[in-house]
Amino acid sequence: MSGDDRKRAPIRFDRHTPEYREQFEAVTQELQGKCPIAWSETYDGHWVASGHHEVFEIARSADVLSNDHDVKGERRGYEGISIPAPPRAKSSRGGFLEMDPPEQRYYRQTLNPYLSPAAVNRWIPLVDEVVRASIDERIEEGRIDFVDDLANIVPAVLTMAMMGIQLKKWTVYNEPAHASVYTPPNSPDQARITEMQRAMGRDLYTSIVEIRANPRPGLVDALVRADINGSTPPDDELLGVLALLIGGGFDTTTALTAHALEWLSENPRQRERLSRERGALLDSATEEFLRYFAPAPGDGRTFSADCEIVGTRFKEGERLWLSWAMANRDPSVFPEPNTVDLERKGNRHSSFGLGIHRCIGSNVARMVFKRMVTQVLDRMADFVCDPEGAEHYETIGVIQGMRHLPATFTPGPRLGAGLDETLDALQKVCDEQRLAEPVTVRRAVAKIDH
């Protein structure tokens, strides 16, 4: 069937509405059953790919797909990966996720030595200490908000450490990083969020200037000295790349952890099984939570040439939404897709994306998630989340996250210093051991004195 024929029966698809979050399973089943590639008139019109096969084939067609965001109008005017483009997108690109090769490839090559499995594993002792300190802040009370008191903190602190920014500054970046993705495009709160993002940008720019003048290890240092196709990136480009790393480092892992803990509270027998059999189950459970709760539900693309893929014709300039989350619920690939199976085999989920733009931080996300969940299972084994206090993001158009997840548990003893004191100590460890150097320079695992 041609693209124009498909457009004669458009669907109503708006992933930014609360209804889409609330009716996600029904919407997914309808689209996959009737039209796994469909045309929606929303946001000036765009294609929606929901079937696993269709998403897989299209996402890997890099020769006819573009992520480019032409904010200066110097090329073809493409609008990047967001549908619709957020307010900030009028003036800046979303890092290398909104670039095409070869530019995109140069950035990934620059960052790979900091984000490979070996590079990420060096940080495990530091992550464990931040998790321990965060739990210690609440362990004696028997009450915790898993979002505010744990899942917001740990990924943010690690991101700061890897970037080479002071650990205590995680609070500067925390609210704007999360609010920018849970606030719908038409919200009256957008002006306040935009101003917070600007403040975060100013602090990032200060870090760029400081580290350029006085080098210290980390992702910022790698980027300010990067050779991107024969030249050093301009500051506005660096800000976009760093903002991408912060967004990816903060909100996605927070979202995954919160949803997994909420599910484990609702399924205490499965929680006990995961704790008891973690050696055999933790890896497969992590992949299953990633599949089921897909933190980043999808990405936009622009067709860069007329083409035909999986039986549908597309025209140059047309927009497309690739739904990783809906592809993860395709029953032709995942038996009983709307059920969590902690030991699911052959879990070919697409939660980190597919193709050349696959998430560069996937190793970080998996490691941090496992370290947080493991300590919760050990120290708060009987936790019960409060469904009345749980607050999910109003929309899941950008990230499927949670703002609050309060829980109670049997109180226990503190094991060490509080969070502030721990971060001060860990800052010294980062500086003295130069933990943020690339794995090609430093392979040793962090050493934490107790």
Side-chain angles (χ1 to χ4, degrees):
M1 187 180 293
S2 71
D4 289 340
D5 289 338
R6 285 283 176 91
K7 290 181 183 180
R8 292 195 183 107
I11 62 167
R12 170 70 185 176
F13 178 82
D14 187 345
R15 73 185 199 284
H16 287 294
T17 62
E19 290 76 19
Y20 175 62
R21 180 182 71 79
E22 295 162 1
Q23 301 168 18
F24 172 75
E25 290 184 9
V27 171
T28 299
Q29 289 172 358
E30 181 178 8
L31 286 180
Q32 290 176 345
K34 295 181 179 179
C35 201
I37 301 177
W39 177 261
S40 172
E41 299 288 357
T42 55
Y43 305 120
D44 298 322
H46 66 286
W47 294 98
V48 179
S50 61
H52 186 277
H53 173 66
E54 290 76 12
V55 167
F56 181 85
E57 292 298 330
I58 296 174
R60 289 163 53 88
S61 302
D63 56 326
V64 293
L65 282 186
S66 174
N67 282 39
D68 185 36
H69 192 184
D70 184 15
V71 295
K72 297 180 181 179
E74 298 173 339
R75 296 177 296 281
R76 292 191 279 187
Y78 293 166
E79 297 182 321
I81 65 164
S82 297
I83 303 175
R88 62 93 183 148
K90 296 176 182 178
S91 59
S92 63
R93 289 199 283 180
F96 53 88
L97 192 52
E98 292 196 318
M99 300 176 188
D100 292 333
E103 191 179 17
Q104 171 258 8
R105 184 172 63 251
Y106 288 122
Y107 275 106
R108 290 182 70 100
Q109 289 171 346
T110 298
L111 298 175
N112 279 335
Y114 298 83
L115 297 167
S116 68
V120 170
N121 287 341
R122 299 174 307 167
W123 292 98
I124 289 176
L126 181 140
V127 169
D128 286 346
E129 270 295 279
V130 181
V131 177
R132 189 273 311 153
S134 299
I135 290 177
D136 273 355
E137 293 282 349
R138 296 289 179 262
I139 193 73
E140 294 176 329
E141 302 173 23
R143 306 182 65 86
I144 191 171
D145 186 319
F146 279 129
V147 175
D148 284 342
D149 302 327
L150 180 66
N152 270 355
I153 299 171
V154 182
V157 170
L158 176 61
T159 303
M160 294 291 97
M162 297 181 75
M163 293 177 76
I165 297 176
Q166 296 294 303
L167 304 186
K168 64 184 179 182
K169 282 195 172 184
W170 75 271
T171 56
V172 174
Y173 296 86
N174 184 56
E175 186 175 1
H178 295 297
S180 65
V181 294
Y182 67 63
T183 306
N186 58 352
S187 169
D189 207 28
Q190 269 293 352
R192 184 181 71 88
I193 305 306
T194 299
E195 181 50 42
M196 285 196 304
Q197 288 181 292
R198 287 176 180 152
M200 184 181 80
R202 288 191 291 269
D203 194 85
L204 266 181
Y205 178 71
T206 299
S207 293
I208 290 172
V209 173
E210 289 177 351
I211 293 173
R212 183 181 284 127
N214 299 287
R216 61 176 180 265
L219 295 169
V220 177
D221 182 71
L223 289 167
V224 300
R225 301 177 201 294
D227 182 340
I228 305 298
N229 203 17
S231 63
T232 301
D235 287 348
D236 61 341
E237 205 71 88
L238 291 176
L239 286 171
V241 174
L242 292 170
L244 170 65
L245 295 174
I246 288 170
F250 280 38
D251 210 56
T252 52
T253 309
T254 295
L256 175 66
T257 306
H259 276 105
L261 291 175
E262 183 182 45
W263 186 89
L264 290 169
S265 172
E266 295 168 349
N267 297 272
R269 289 186 179 179
Q270 293 280 56
R271 177 180 63 197
E272 292 167 9
R273 180 186 176 212
L274 177 59
S275 183
R276 183 177 63 250
E277 302 175 25
R278 70 184 66 175
L281 280 182
L282 187 57
D283 287 348
S284 62
T286 298
E287 300 310 307
E288 180 68 343
F289 288 133
L290 280 163
R291 180 194 72 85
Y292 191 82
F293 294 114
D299 283 317
R301 300 285 189 269
T302 304
F303 285 100
S304 58
D306 293 354
C307 59
E308 181 173 334
I309 309 174
V310 287
T312 301
R313 293 188 179 185
F314 305 101
K315 294 181 179 180
E316 186 273 330
E318 288 183 335
R319 301 281 275 147
L320 162 76
W321 181 253
L322 288 165
S323 179
W324 317 126
M326 289 195 285
N328 285 349
R329 301 296 186 94
D330 191 328
S332 69
V333 178
F334 305 100
E336 298 186 42
N338 297 317
T339 299
V340 173
D341 178 358
L342 297 184
E343 56 179 336
R344 187 181 293 272
K345 305 292 192 297
N347 197 337
R348 295 178 290 158
H349 67 76
S350 55
S351 294
F352 289 121
L354 298 166
I356 63 172
H357 290 280
R358 188 180 184 279
C359 176
I360 196 172
S362 60
N363 300 311
V364 179
R366 287 184 171 108
M367 182 271 283
V368 175
F369 170 78
K370 291 175 184 178
R371 308 313 290 188
M372 284 194 284
V373 168
T374 299
Q375 285 204 45
V376 169
L377 293 175
D378 285 341
R379 302 186 65 190
M380 304 172 171
D382 62 351
F383 72 88
V384 178
C385 295
D386 174 14
E388 296 299 319
E391 184 177 352
H392 293 252
Y393 283 3
E394 181 182 353
T395 77
I396 59 172
V398 182
I399 297 292
Q400 183 183 197
M402 297 184 69
R403 297 182 67 173
H404 296 290
L405 183 60
T408 55
F409 55 89
T410 300
R414 294 172 66 105
L415 299 181
L419 183 62
D420 289 342
E421 184 180 345
T422 297
L423 293 186
D424 287 339
L426 292 177
Q427 185 66 63
K428 294 179 181 178
V429 171
C430 289
D431 295 342
E432 293 172 359
Q433 298 181 26
R434 298 180 66 84
L435 294 182
E437 287 185 327
V439 73
T440 50
V441 176
R442 186 188 193 284
R443 300 189 64 87
V445 173
K447 295 181 180 178
I448 312 291
D449 294 328
H450 296 283

